[in-house]
Amino acid sequence: MTATTVASTEEPRRAGPKSRRLGGLRQGAAGPLFVAPFMVLFLLVFLAPLGYAAYLSLFREKLIGGNAFVGLDNYVTALKDPLLREGVVRVATFFVIQVPLMLVLALVFALALDSGLLRLARVIRLGIFVPYAVPSVVATLMWGYLYGPDYGPFAQLSEKLGLPVPHFLSDGWMLGSLANVVTWEFVGYNMIILYAALRTVPQELYEAAAMDGAGAWRTAWSIKLPALRPALLLTLLFSVIGSFQLFNEPKLLQPIAPDVIDNSYTANLYAYSLAFTGQQVNYSAAVSFFLGLIIVIFSYAVLFFANRRRTS
Amino acid sequence: MTTTTPTSPSPSATSATTTGASRTARRPRRRSTGRRSTPLTIVMLAVLAYFLLPLFWLAISATKSTQDLFTSFGLWFSHTPQLLENIRETFTHDDGVFLHWLLNTVLYSVGSAIGAALLAAAAGYGFAKYRFRGNNAAFALILGAIMIPTTALAIPTYLLFAKVDLVNTPWAIVLPSLVSPFGLYLMRVYAADAVPDSLLEAARIDGAGELRIFFTIAMRLLAPGLVTVVLFTLVATWNNYFLPLIMLNDPKLYPVTVGLSSWASQAVGGGSGANSNMLALVVTGSLISIIPLVVAFLLLQRYWQSGLATGGVKQ
């Protein structure tokens, strides 16, 4: 993360802060002043809750004697908790299936749009991107109704054609159905990021490739894909963070599939129900913290492998 | 992110016009030759159909009564379309609470987006253009925060806010949304590119103070990046569900996402008694709630591209 070094061609070191007052603000004090409002709020809404969660996770409500310090006991419980393990394994499975699918689709669409071979490219680009503007609540409700076994159009069509009705909301299909909702929501967003990165490839590179006799496929492989590396890494990181936090979609499908999606279906759903229906605030804080830790570890693993491959 | 070392000057850096209108590239549109592929176009149109299908279904379904939703074919109109009736009922149900939800959503998301963009712009500019002690450490700390799951933060934030009586107020939604680490990252990269040091020097020599330089010169150059962060935060807040779900318990304060989901759970299985027509209201309300954002998107989409092209996706 720290390697975002802005190239040293800019901002030559100034020889010390200017002591002349210019318009009521010295240059030396200006930098921290611009950064301060953001930093203050950052401390308030990021670091304070994090610290508080860490603090809470070390205590437990005892029936006798109220709040007692229990050290890492909550974490030991979390590690052994089968419900949490199932939830984490489930989101990990979701990640392994859904994210490659989504990113490959986004990549293919971005390359297709950038190839200049499409008619109606603008319409197609906007149409694929539009779902990102649809709140996940609405997206999930819509798909939930579309999946519906009694009045969903897919069920209606299967009945008309005399085929078996697909049970999108059954135990075996649910993870795939959720993956479909998330993919529908975010392919366009990832596609736009990749497409924007493709647009920054200098035209000269393409001209040079054409001079060397490279065809469209060769150009895509040797010029476009390497140019997309940082953008792909960015989308992959966001996807790690998003998948492990899976909450909205299962939470919203819960009312129509209560037998399949229980209160510990995903790790986040579990943390939520611990805090708000189980009133186990301390344990919920430990679970949240634990989940955050898993996400950070995964994110760094992604970064680490990406960088190792670069240097080798 | 580790791999993004913005090298200045970039080919895509938005030309520093003071109009605020951003053009992604100064080069001519490339490869607009007549070579078009019909098979590829057909494949992509099929893909487009998949992405538009649910929205088509939603638009059709908003014209049906709950009974028709169950009995007529989902992807075509019923015999008795009643869109206006549905809209009227959506806005009058529960003493017109739906309009409250819409207004709340606009208030929360627009307020958060503008605030977050201004904070990110000032801080990004400060990080990019000034050297001070702790600059890199503070920036690295904030970048690390991008990885922290928002939902892992939401529950402790709720507990903290409960202690200071902020829960069940608009502040509980707006305050956490004002801090956008990713927005700051974008703005820092953008400021490094779009605000030339020579211009700042010239202004200093002319005797302008740092604040004045920021508000009169830098802000104009940062405008396209600012719009990107506004859009980004706007969508994030508009779509936010987890945070308002735990922070608010007064239905009058709900944003439309939480409101619709509360209606949806009443409508399960067609509802009963007074809730028998809820399903039609959920569908119509969903359609109404996505129109503003979709329209804003289509109008402002080129800003997205220019901002994203400059921030974080360059070699």
Side-chain angles (χ1 to χ4, degrees), chain A:
Chain A
M1 302 308 292
T2 43
T4 40
T5 40
V6 178
S8 54
T9 46
E10 39 203 354
E11 33 175 346
R13 279 310 282 262
R14 308 197 44 77
K18 286 202 171 166
S19 52
R20 252 187 327 140
R21 281 199 159 273
L22 293 172
L25 183 63
R26 280 182 309 108
Q27 205 192 317
L33 191 112
F34 282 122
V35 171
F38 186 98
M39 279 312 266
V40 168
L41 270 174
F42 178 74
L43 290 174
L44 200 77
V45 301
F46 263 88
L47 296 184
L50 261 187
Y52 189 55
Y55 166 84
L56 277 176
S57 68
L58 303 175
F59 288 81
R60 187 174 297 165
E61 285 288 339
K62 292 272 178 26
L63 284 175
I64 308 157
N67 223 347
F69 180 78
V70 292
L72 293 176
D73 234 17
N74 286 321
Y75 291 95
V76 175
T77 314
L79 273 174
K80 290 184 188 157
D81 190 337
L83 290 176
L84 178 61
R85 192 177 319 130
E86 272 170 40
V88 170
V89 168
R90 197 170 278 120
V91 288
T93 313
F94 180 87
F95 169 79
V96 169
I97 296 168
Q98 189 263 335
V99 170
L101 182 80
M102 174 176 72
L103 292 185
V104 166
L105 287 176
L107 180 65
V108 169
F109 298 161
L111 287 170
L113 287 171
D114 192 62
S115 69
L117 297 172
L118 284 182
R119 296 189 179 84
L120 304 170
R122 207 185 129 85
V123 175
I124 291 172
R125 187 180 76 218
L126 283 179
I128 296 177
F129 188 41
V130 153
Y132 182 64
V134 176
S136 59
V137 172
V138 173
T140 312
L141 290 175
M142 276 192 311
W143 278 105
Y145 295 142
L146 286 167
Y147 290 148
D150 39 11
Y151 58 91
F154 298 115
Q156 289 173 337
L157 273 176
S158 321
E159 262 176 35
K160 275 211 174 66
L161 301 171
L163 297 168
V165 175
H167 289 283
F168 293 110
L169 299 172
S170 66
D171 197 17
W173 289 56
M174 184 55 89
L175 214 53
S177 300
L178 285 169
N180 174 57
V181 178
V182 177
T183 304
W184 183 83
E185 286 176 279
F186 288 107
V187 163
Y189 172 68
N190 289 310
M191 176 192 79
I192 289 286
I193 291 182
L194 296 173
Y195 178 73
L198 279 174
R199 307 301 294 172
T200 67
V201 176
Q203 184 67 22
E204 296 79 47
L205 277 181
Y206 292 119
E207 282 159 13
M211 294 275 273
D212 292 343
W217 289 104
R218 184 63 209 271
T219 308
W221 182 255
S222 304
I223 295 177
K224 291 185 180 181
L225 278 181
L228 283 174
R229 276 198 69 104
L232 270 171
L233 190 66
L234 188 77
T235 53
L236 182 60
L237 268 182
F238 281 157
S239 306
V240 172
I241 297 164
S243 318
F244 277 86
Q245 291 192 67
L246 194 61
F247 175 84
N248 293 7
E249 292 80 6
K251 172 87 180 142
L252 288 153
L253 285 184
Q254 204 172 17
I256 54 173
D259 314 334
V260 178
I261 298 182
D262 52 19
N263 279 337
S264 57
Y265 192 78
T266 70
N268 228 337
L269 209 50
Y270 188 46
Y272 168 83
S273 30
L274 281 173
F276 292 95
T277 48
Q279 299 295 327
Q280 294 174 278
V281 170
N282 301 92
Y283 187 42
S284 168
V287 168
S288 290
F289 217 78
F290 188 69
L291 180 65
L293 194 70
I294 291 176
I295 292 176
V296 170
I297 289 171
F298 251 82
S299 306
Y300 272 102
V302 166
L303 284 172
F304 175 77
F305 281 112
N307 284 326
R308 213 183 51 166
R309 283 206 20 225
R310 263 167 81 91
T311 48
S312 61

Side-chain angles (χ1 to χ4, degrees), chain A residues 1-7 9-11 13-14 22-23 25 27 30-32 34-35 37-39 41-42 45-50 52-53 56 109 114-119 122 124-135 137-138 141-143 145-146 151 153-154 156-157 180 184 187 189 192-193 195-201 203 206 226-227 230-231 233-234 237-238 241 245 247-248 251-252 255 268 271-272 275-276 281 284 288 292 295 299-300 303 307 310, chain B residues 1-3 5-6 8 11-12 27 29-31 35-38 40-41 44 47-48 50-55 57-58 69-70 72-75 119 122-123 125-128 130-132 138-143 145-153 155-160 163 175 178-182 184-185 188 192 197 201 204 209-211 214 232 235 238-239 241-242 245-246 257 260-261 264 268 279 282 286 289-290 293 297-298 301 304-305 308-309 313-315:
Chain A
M1 302 308 292
T2 43
T4 40
T5 40
V6 178
T9 46
E10 39 203 354
E11 33 175 346
R13 279 310 282 262
R14 308 197 44 77
L22 293 172
L25 183 63
Q27 205 192 317
F34 282 122
V35 171
F38 186 98
M39 279 312 266
L41 270 174
F42 178 74
V45 301
F46 263 88
L47 296 184
L50 261 187
Y52 189 55
L56 277 176
F109 298 161
D114 192 62
S115 69
L117 297 172
L118 284 182
R119 296 189 179 84
R122 207 185 129 85
I124 291 172
R125 187 180 76 218
L126 283 179
I128 296 177
F129 188 41
V130 153
Y132 182 64
V134 176
V137 172
V138 173
L141 290 175
M142 276 192 311
W143 278 105
Y145 295 142
L146 286 167
Y151 58 91
F154 298 115
Q156 289 173 337
L157 273 176
N180 174 57
W184 183 83
V187 163
Y189 172 68
I192 289 286
I193 291 182
Y195 178 73
L198 279 174
R199 307 301 294 172
T200 67
V201 176
Q203 184 67 22
Y206 292 119
L233 190 66
L234 188 77
L237 268 182
F238 281 157
I241 297 164
Q245 291 192 67
F247 175 84
N248 293 7
K251 172 87 180 142
L252 288 153
N268 228 337
Y272 168 83
F276 292 95
V281 170
S284 168
S288 290
I295 292 176
S299 306
Y300 272 102
L303 284 172
N307 284 326
R310 263 167 81 91
Chain B
M1 317 274 135
T2 345
T3 49
T5 34
S8 62
S12 73
R27 55 157 191 265
R29 305 279 310 198
R30 68 160 165 257
R31 296 187 308 284
R35 279 187 322 114
R36 294 275 191 252
S37 159
T38 306
L40 188 64
T41 304
M44 288 305 280
V47 167
L48 181 68
Y50 161 80
F51 283 100
L52 296 182
L53 175 89
L55 298 172
W57 175 88
L58 189 70
L69 280 172
F70 279 96
S72 65
F73 178 55
L75 294 175
L119 286 170
Y125 173 80
F127 277 125
Y130 294 91
R131 304 205 161 233
F132 49 92
F139 186 66
L141 179 74
I142 294 169
L143 271 196
I146 291 183
M147 293 202 183
I148 300 170
T150 34
T151 31
L153 276 174
I155 293 169
T157 307
Y158 165 82
L159 297 168
L160 270 184
K163 283 214 186 314
L175 276 179
L178 282 176
V179 179
S180 166
F182 184 63
L184 171 73
Y185 167 76
R188 181 189 167 150
D197 284 318
E201 285 304 315
R204 280 174 194 141
E210 301 299 320
L211 278 177
F214 176 70
F232 187 80
V235 174
W238 191 287
N239 295 351
Y241 172 66
F242 191 74
L245 178 73
I246 62 177
T257 47
L260 282 174
S261 73
V268 169
L279 195 57
V282 174
S286 296
S289 74
I290 63 174
L293 209 56
F297 249 65
L298 297 184
Q301 52 103 18
W304 270 89
Q305 281 200 51
L308 284 170
V313 293
K314 287 189 325 194
Q315 285 288 35

Side-chain angles (χ1 to χ4, degrees), chain B residues 21-291:
Chain B
S22 81
R23 277 272 164 251
T24 316
R26 279 168 299 189
R27 55 157 191 265
R29 305 279 310 198
R30 68 160 165 257
R31 296 187 308 284
S32 50
T33 49
R35 279 187 322 114
R36 294 275 191 252
S37 159
T38 306
L40 188 64
T41 304
I42 290 171
V43 170
M44 288 305 280
L45 285 175
V47 167
L48 181 68
Y50 161 80
F51 283 100
L52 296 182
L53 175 89
L55 298 172
F56 175 76
W57 175 88
L58 189 70
I60 296 278
S61 299
T63 67
K64 296 178 182 176
S65 65
T66 297
Q67 198 185 354
D68 281 345
L69 280 172
F70 279 96
T71 52
S72 65
F73 178 55
L75 294 175
W76 201 243
F77 296 99
S78 64
H79 298 300
T80 50
Q82 50 162 17
L83 177 64
L84 292 176
E85 167 68 15
N86 277 348
I87 292 176
R88 197 186 54 76
E89 212 179 329
T90 305
F91 278 103
T92 52
H93 189 83
D94 283 346
D95 304 327
V97 76
F98 184 77
L99 188 61
H100 276 282
W101 295 344
L102 279 182
L103 294 176
N104 289 341
T105 301
V106 170
L107 180 80
Y108 300 155
S109 53
V110 172
S112 303
I114 291 173
L118 290 176
L119 286 170
Y125 173 80
F127 277 125
K129 293 293 165 190
Y130 294 91
R131 304 205 161 233
F132 49 92
R133 194 169 309 162
N135 175 324
N136 287 336
F139 186 66
L141 179 74
I142 294 169
L143 271 196
I146 291 183
M147 293 202 183
I148 300 170
T150 34
T151 31
L153 276 174
I155 293 169
T157 307
Y158 165 82
L159 297 168
L160 270 184
F161 279 9
K163 283 214 186 314
V164 289
D165 273 344
L166 273 176
V167 289
N168 212 18
T169 66
W171 291 110
I173 313 301
V174 175
L175 276 179
S177 311
L178 282 176
V179 179
S180 166
F182 184 63
L184 171 73
Y185 167 76
L186 280 182
M187 286 317 284
R188 181 189 167 150
V189 176
Y190 201 86
D193 252 352
V195 184
D197 284 318
S198 53
L199 196 63
L200 300 182
E201 285 304 315
R204 280 174 194 141
I205 289 167
D206 288 346
E210 301 299 320
L211 278 177
R212 190 174 151 201
I213 292 176
F214 176 70
F215 283 110
T216 55
I217 299 172
M219 277 301 255
R220 283 191 191 160
L221 299 176
L222 293 174
L226 207 63
V227 175
T228 307
V229 178
V230 166
L231 274 176
F232 187 80
T233 324
L234 188 76
V235 174
T237 320
W238 191 287
N239 295 351
N240 207 340
Y241 172 66
F242 191 74
L243 191 71
L245 178 73
I246 62 177
M247 290 287 182
L248 306 173
N249 50 32
D250 175 6
K252 277 243 185 309
L253 289 174
Y254 284 172
V256 80
T257 47
V258 179
L260 282 174
S261 73
S262 71
W263 274 4
S265 48
Q266 291 172 36
V268 169
S272 58
N275 294 333
S276 62
N277 201 26
M278 282 310 273
L279 195 57
L281 299 193
V282 174
V283 169
T284 312
S286 296
L287 181 68
I288 295 169
S289 74
I290 63 174
I291 288 171

